[in-house]
Protein backbone atom coordinates (compact mmCIF):
# COMPACT_ATOMS: atom_id res chain seq x y z
CA UNK A 1 0.00 0.00 0.00
CA UNK A 2 1.44 3.38 -1.02
CA UNK A 3 1.87 6.10 1.61
CA UNK A 4 3.06 9.65 1.35
CA UNK A 5 5.65 10.94 3.80
CA UNK A 6 5.92 14.72 4.18
CA UNK A 7 7.81 17.30 6.22
CA UNK A 8 5.67 19.81 8.15
CA UNK A 9 8.48 22.40 7.99
CA UNK A 10 9.67 22.52 4.37
CA UNK A 11 6.71 20.61 2.79
CA UNK A 12 9.00 18.06 1.13
CA UNK A 13 7.08 14.89 0.32
CA UNK A 14 7.62 11.52 -1.29
CA UNK A 15 5.58 8.42 -2.08
CA UNK A 16 6.81 5.17 -0.53
CA UNK A 17 5.84 1.60 -1.28
CA UNK A 18 6.51 -1.61 0.63
CA UNK A 19 10.17 -1.96 -0.42
CA UNK A 20 10.96 1.64 0.57
CA UNK A 21 9.08 1.25 3.87
CA UNK A 22 11.13 -1.86 4.63
CA UNK A 23 14.38 -0.01 3.80
CA UNK A 24 13.44 2.90 6.08
CA UNK A 25 12.51 0.51 8.90
CA UNK A 26 15.86 -1.27 8.55
CA UNK A 27 17.64 2.11 8.70
CA UNK A 28 15.90 2.82 12.00
CA UNK A 29 16.99 -0.50 13.44
CA UNK A 30 13.60 -2.16 13.18
CA UNK A 31 12.99 -5.59 11.60
CA UNK A 32 16.64 -6.66 11.71
CA UNK A 33 15.74 -10.21 12.65
CA UNK A 34 12.93 -10.60 10.13
CA UNK A 35 14.02 -11.61 6.64
CA UNK A 36 10.52 -11.74 5.14
CA UNK A 37 8.23 -9.83 7.49
CA UNK A 38 4.47 -9.93 7.12
CA UNK A 39 2.93 -6.99 5.19
CA UNK A 40 0.72 -6.05 8.16
CA UNK A 41 3.81 -5.90 10.42
CA UNK A 42 5.59 -3.60 7.97
CA UNK A 43 2.54 -1.31 7.76
CA UNK A 44 2.09 -1.16 11.55
CA UNK A 45 5.74 -0.45 12.29
CA UNK A 46 5.96 2.12 9.51
CA UNK A 47 2.91 4.02 10.85
CA UNK A 48 4.57 4.17 14.28
CA UNK A 49 7.95 5.24 12.91
CA UNK A 50 6.89 8.68 11.63
CA UNK A 51 8.44 10.48 14.61
CA UNK A 52 11.85 8.96 13.73
CA UNK A 53 11.84 9.54 9.96
CA UNK A 54 14.19 12.23 8.62
CA UNK A 55 13.26 14.81 5.96
CA UNK A 56 15.20 14.45 2.70
CA UNK A 57 15.35 18.26 2.26
CA UNK A 58 15.82 20.03 5.59
CA UNK A 59 16.87 17.12 7.84
CA UNK A 60 13.96 17.56 10.29
CA UNK A 61 13.27 14.49 12.38
CA UNK A 62 9.60 13.57 12.55
CA UNK A 63 7.56 13.31 9.36
CA UNK A 64 3.87 12.96 8.62
CA UNK A 65 2.64 9.72 7.10
CA UNK A 66 -0.53 10.09 5.04
CA UNK A 67 -2.52 8.27 2.41
CA UNK A 68 -1.52 9.35 -1.09
CA UNK A 69 -3.37 12.28 -2.62
CA UNK A 70 -6.07 11.50 -5.15
CA UNK A 71 -5.05 11.44 -8.78
CA UNK A 72 -7.57 14.22 -9.44
CA UNK A 73 -5.36 16.58 -7.46
CA UNK A 74 -2.64 16.26 -10.06
CA UNK A 75 -4.89 17.58 -12.84
CA UNK A 76 -5.42 21.18 -13.87
CA UNK A 77 -4.76 24.07 -11.53
CA UNK A 78 -5.50 22.13 -8.35
CA UNK A 79 -3.24 23.05 -5.45
CA UNK A 80 -2.52 21.14 -2.26
CA UNK A 81 -2.59 22.83 1.15
CA UNK A 82 0.96 23.23 2.48
CA UNK A 83 -0.12 22.29 5.99
CA UNK A 84 -2.61 19.42 5.74
CA UNK A 85 -1.85 18.20 2.16
CA UNK A 86 -5.54 18.24 1.15
CA UNK A 87 -6.74 19.79 -2.09
CA UNK A 88 -7.66 23.48 -1.91
CA UNK A 89 -11.10 23.87 -3.53
CA UNK A 90 -11.15 25.62 -6.92
CA UNK A 91 -13.61 28.21 -5.57
CA UNK A 92 -11.08 29.34 -2.95
CA UNK A 93 -8.34 29.55 -5.58
CA UNK A 94 -10.58 31.71 -7.77
CA UNK A 95 -11.04 34.20 -4.95
CA UNK A 96 -7.51 33.93 -3.50
CA UNK A 97 -5.27 32.78 -6.37
CA UNK A 98 -2.06 33.10 -4.32
CA UNK A 99 -3.26 31.15 -1.28
CA UNK A 100 -1.19 28.17 -0.22
CA UNK A 101 -3.42 26.84 2.59
CA UNK A 102 -7.01 25.65 2.83
CA UNK A 103 -9.81 27.32 4.79
CA UNK A 104 -9.56 24.90 7.72
CA UNK A 105 -5.82 25.52 8.18
CA UNK A 106 -6.32 29.27 7.73
CA UNK A 107 -8.87 29.25 10.54
CA UNK A 108 -6.44 27.32 12.77
CA UNK A 109 -3.74 29.91 12.01
CA UNK A 110 -6.01 32.82 12.92
CA UNK A 111 -5.93 33.94 16.52
CA UNK A 112 -9.14 32.11 17.31
CA UNK A 113 -11.23 35.16 18.19
CA UNK A 114 -14.44 35.46 16.27
CA UNK A 115 -15.27 39.15 15.92
CA UNK A 116 -18.88 38.40 15.03
CA UNK A 117 -19.64 36.85 18.40
CA UNK A 118 -20.67 39.37 21.06
CA UNK A 119 -19.13 39.38 24.53
CA UNK A 120 -21.51 38.78 27.42
CA UNK A 121 -21.45 40.23 30.93
CA UNK A 122 -20.16 37.60 33.39
CA UNK A 123 -22.63 38.82 36.09
CA UNK A 124 -25.95 39.22 34.27
CA UNK A 125 -25.39 37.77 30.80
CA UNK A 126 -26.32 41.00 28.95
CA UNK A 127 -24.48 41.76 25.68
CA UNK A 128 -21.55 44.06 26.40
CA UNK A 129 -21.24 47.37 24.56
CA UNK A 130 -18.11 49.26 23.60
CA UNK A 131 -17.42 52.46 25.47
CA UNK A 132 -14.65 55.00 25.76
CA UNK A 133 -12.99 56.63 28.71
CA UNK A 134 -10.57 59.50 28.67
CA UNK A 135 -7.72 60.02 31.03
CA UNK A 136 -4.51 61.93 30.65
CA UNK A 137 -5.23 62.80 27.02
CA UNK A 138 -5.56 59.15 25.98
CA UNK A 139 -8.82 57.61 24.84
CA UNK A 140 -9.27 54.06 26.05
CA UNK A 141 -11.80 51.63 24.65
CA UNK A 142 -13.43 49.16 26.96
CA UNK A 143 -16.44 46.87 27.05
CA UNK A 144 -19.13 47.61 29.60
CA UNK A 145 -22.47 46.10 30.52
CA UNK A 146 -25.45 48.39 29.89
CA UNK A 147 -27.26 46.85 32.88
CA UNK A 148 -24.45 46.43 35.47
CA UNK A 149 -22.34 49.40 34.39
Amino acid sequence: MLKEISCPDCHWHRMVGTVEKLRLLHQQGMLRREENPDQSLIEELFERSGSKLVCGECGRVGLRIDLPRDEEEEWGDARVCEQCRRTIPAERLEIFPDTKICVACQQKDDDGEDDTMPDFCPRCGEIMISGTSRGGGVTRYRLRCPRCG
Side-chain angles (χ1 to χ4, degrees):
M1 171 180 259
L2 280 176
K3 294 284 182 155
E4 181 179 33
I5 55 176
S6 61
C7 178
D9 290 345
C10 71
H11 307 294
W12 169 87
H13 60 96
R14 187 173 84 199
M15 300 298 290
V16 292
T18 303
V19 173
E20 182 68 11
K21 289 176 191 176
L22 196 54
R23 187 187 66 76
L24 290 169
L25 289 172
H26 280 292
Q27 278 182 345
Q28 293 177 14
M30 300 176 156
L31 292 174
R32 288 186 179 182
R33 296 180 185 160
E34 295 283 332
E35 285 186 34
N36 295 316
D38 184 45
Q39 178 68 30
S40 62
L41 179 63
I42 294 170
E43 293 296 327
E44 180 70 27
L45 287 174
F46 187 72
E47 287 291 327
R48 295 174 184 249
S49 69
S51 63
K52 298 175 186 176
L53 294 175
V54 179
C55 175
E57 278 294 307
C58 68
R60 179 189 198 272
V61 177
L63 302 179
R64 277 189 248 165
I65 300 173
D66 297 312
L67 292 173
R69 295 176 284 165
D70 293 335
E71 288 181 21
E72 295 171 5
E73 294 175 0
E74 302 297 328
W75 293 90
D77 293 330
R79 189 175 305 151
V80 177
C81 175
E82 288 184 349
Q83 294 180 9
C84 69
R85 310 289 303 150
R86 293 189 182 124
T87 302
I88 299 172
E91 295 83 14
R92 178 166 171 80
L93 291 172
E94 285 177 20
I95 297 169
F96 303 108
D98 296 330
T99 190
K100 294 182 188 323
I101 59 175
C102 67
V103 173
C105 292
Q106 180 69 48
Q107 288 174 344
K108 287 178 192 174
D109 286 349
D110 290 344
D111 59 356
E113 269 189 39
D114 187 2
D115 294 335
T116 61
M117 290 294 296
D119 289 317
F120 297 96
C121 176
R123 282 189 256 158
C124 69
E126 186 74 27
I127 295 177
M128 304 282 275
I129 59 172
S130 178
T132 59
S133 62
R134 294 183 182 186
V138 177
T139 301
R140 292 189 175 89
Y141 293 92
R142 63 180 189 91
L143 291 175
R144 66 176 187 81
C145 176
R147 186 184 298 171
C148 301

